[in-house]
Amino acid sequence: MATTMQGAFFLGPNEMALRDVPVPVPGPGEVLLRVGACAVCGTDLRILSGGKTRGVVPPRVLGHEIAATVVAHGDGAEAIPGVPVGTRVTLPPGITCGACRFCVIGLENHCTRREAFGYKYDGGFAEYMLVPAHAARRRILFRVPDTLPDAEASLAEPLACVVNGQRKSQVTVGDVVLVAGAGPIGLMHVQMSRLAGARAVIVSEPSAARREQALSMGATEAIDPTAHDVGDAIRARSGGYGADVAIAAIGVPGLVMDLLRWVRPGGRVNLFAGYAGAGEATISANLIHYGELIVTGTSACTSEDFRVALGLLSEGRIDASALVSHRFPLAAVHEAFDVTRRGAGLRVVVTP
Ligand SMILES: [Zn+2]
Ligand SMILES: [Zn+2]
C-alpha cells in the first residue's frame, strides 16, 4: 500500500489546496478507508466560502458524502462485525454519542455531542481517511452491495436527509405533492413521493433542463414559475382544494408564503432546504392558524434514515445514476466545487 497520498485541504475561507501527506496509520480501534467517491454538497461550498466554518479548524479535508473500501484495521477493529478488509462501505457523516437525550428519543441528528467527517475529522476529498475508534465501535460503516457503484453509494447521505423530510411530510397514497426546486434534492423528493404513492407530483422549477429531468424521474407536471402560476396548476390537479404536501427543496425565503398558500387545509409544508443568513421570511400566521397547517423542518438525518436510504439505492428503488451528472478526479476538485456552485449539473462526484 502507498505511504503517501493526496488530500484536498481546506486552509481557510476560499482556500483549498491539494497536499501530499502520509497515509494515516490506523491506531487502536480505528479503521482506514480508501475513498472511492465523495460527492460535493452545498455544505462543503458554504464551509469553503467561509460562511459556515463552525467547528471546522483548518487544515481539514472536507467532504461527507462518502463511499469507500476498508483497507486496514487498527488493533481490535478487526473484531467489528461486518467490515473485514475489502468491504465496500458508506457512512453517515455524523458521529453521535448514543447517550444524550436527543439520541435516546430518536433525534440523533440533534445529538448534543455530534461530531462529523468533513468538520471535526478529515472527510472524503482524499485518497484515504480514518474512521476514529469510537465511531467504528458505533457501527457507522454500512456495507454497500456489489451492484451499487461508489458514485451512487455516495448519495446515500443526501437521500437519507430526503427520507427524513419525507417522514416529516407524511406523503401517502393518493397525495398531490408540490416540490419546489428540481436540483438533486428536489429530484430525490420527486422519486420518493412517487414511491410513497403520491398520485401527482408537481414540480416548480425555472430551469428547463431540470424540468425535463423532473419529468423523466416521475414528476407528473413540471412548471416554470417565472412564466406560469403554480397555484393555478396545483388547484387544477387537486379539484381546487390545494396540495396535500408542499416541499421546499430550494432555500428561497419568499417561497415559504407561497407553499403555505398552495396546500389544502390540514396540509403539510416541509422546509427542507436551508436558508442563507438568518433565513427570515414574511408569512401570514393566519394561513397556518385557520388552515390548521402542519409546518415542519428537516436537517440532516439519523442512522435509521441512512439505513433506509441505502436500502432504497441498493434495491434500485431510487435511480441514483441519473442524479450523478459529473465525475472528477481528486486533482480537479476545484472544478468539481465550481460546477456545483454554478448549479450546472446535478450531484458532482469526486473519485480520488
Ligand atoms: Zn451533504
Ligand atoms: Zn447524543
Side-chain angles (χ1 to χ4, degrees):
M1 202 171 73
T3 52
T4 61
M5 67 161 195
Q6 278 210 315
F9 286 83
F10 165 68
L11 300 174
N14 297 311
E15 228 189 305
M16 184 169 63
L18 283 168
R19 282 183 173 177
D20 288 305
V21 294
V23 175
V25 177
E30 295 178 338
V31 177
L32 182 67
L33 303 179
R34 171 84 174 85
V35 179
C38 185
V40 183
C41 178
T43 307
D44 299 316
L45 299 181
R46 281 194 290 277
I47 294 170
L48 182 58
S49 69
K52 188 188 173 187
T53 50
R54 277 175 305 166
V56 184
V57 181
R60 173 71 62 230
V61 176
L62 304 181
H64 57 269
E65 301 182 3
I66 300 160
T69 302
V70 175
V71 289
H73 289 132
D75 281 349
E78 68 284 345
I80 299 166
V83 287
V85 167
T87 309
R88 293 177 55 241
V89 295
T90 178
L91 58 160
I95 306 166
T96 56
C97 77
C100 74
R101 176 150 183 258
F102 299 123
C103 280
V104 170
I105 64 174
L107 289 174
E108 59 185 70
N109 46 329
H110 296 280
C111 172
T112 55
R113 288 185 281 267
R114 191 175 190 273
E115 305 168 330
F117 293 97
Y119 294 76
K120 173 159 186 186
Y121 298 102
D122 282 336
F125 296 124
E127 291 177 86
Y128 295 87
M129 62 178 275
L130 265 187
V131 178
H134 67 291
R137 258 200 316 277
R138 282 186 55 75
R139 310 263 190 97
I140 66 160
L141 298 176
F142 288 72
R143 201 183 69 81
V144 173
D146 296 340
T147 48
L148 189 66
D150 282 342
E152 293 167 38
S154 73
L155 300 193
E157 190 268 338
L159 185 63
C161 300
V162 169
V163 167
N164 181 10
Q166 288 274 319
R167 289 191 207 274
K168 300 270 172 19
S169 307
Q170 300 169 44
V171 177
T172 189
V173 175
D175 276 353
V176 172
V177 178
L178 179 278
V179 177
I185 293 292
L187 294 171
M188 287 180 184
H189 274 295
V190 167
Q191 293 193 52
M192 287 289 298
S193 299
R194 288 301 297 263
L195 266 185
R199 93 175 141 85
V201 181
I202 303 164
V203 166
S204 165
E205 164 62 58
S207 150
R210 288 186 164 189
R211 286 200 301 276
E212 270 315 302
Q213 270 150 343
L215 291 170
S216 75
M217 289 186 196
T220 48
E221 210 168 329
I223 301 158
D224 178 357
T226 63
H228 299 279
D229 188 320
V230 180
D232 283 348
I234 294 168
R235 282 184 287 276
R237 273 285 182 148
S238 60
Y241 290 117
D244 299 287
V245 174
I247 298 168
I250 179 156
V252 178
L255 211 69
V256 179
M257 179 82 124
D258 289 331
L259 299 196
L260 297 176
R261 279 202 196 97
W262 291 340
V263 293
R264 63 166 171 83
R268 286 92 71 192
V269 172
N270 180 246
L271 305 184
F272 184 91
Y275 298 87
E280 288 178 3
T282 302
I283 60 162
S284 158
N286 272 336
L287 287 173
I288 301 172
H289 168 74
Y290 287 112
E292 299 190 307
L293 305 185
I294 299 166
V295 180
T296 59
T298 297
S299 176
C301 62
T302 65
S303 59
E304 173 59 11
D305 297 326
F306 194 87
R307 186 192 64 80
V308 170
L310 181 59
L312 291 169
L313 290 173
S314 301
E315 302 290 345
R317 303 287 283 160
I318 294 288
D319 180 8
S321 63
L323 294 169
V324 178
S325 62
H326 295 73
R327 289 157 209 260
F328 291 102
L330 188 59
V333 65
H334 289 99
E335 202 180 336
F337 273 56
D338 284 342
V339 171
T340 305
R341 192 178 296 113
R342 288 199 310 270
L346 294 174
R347 221 43 164 191
V348 178
V349 172
V350 175
T351 54

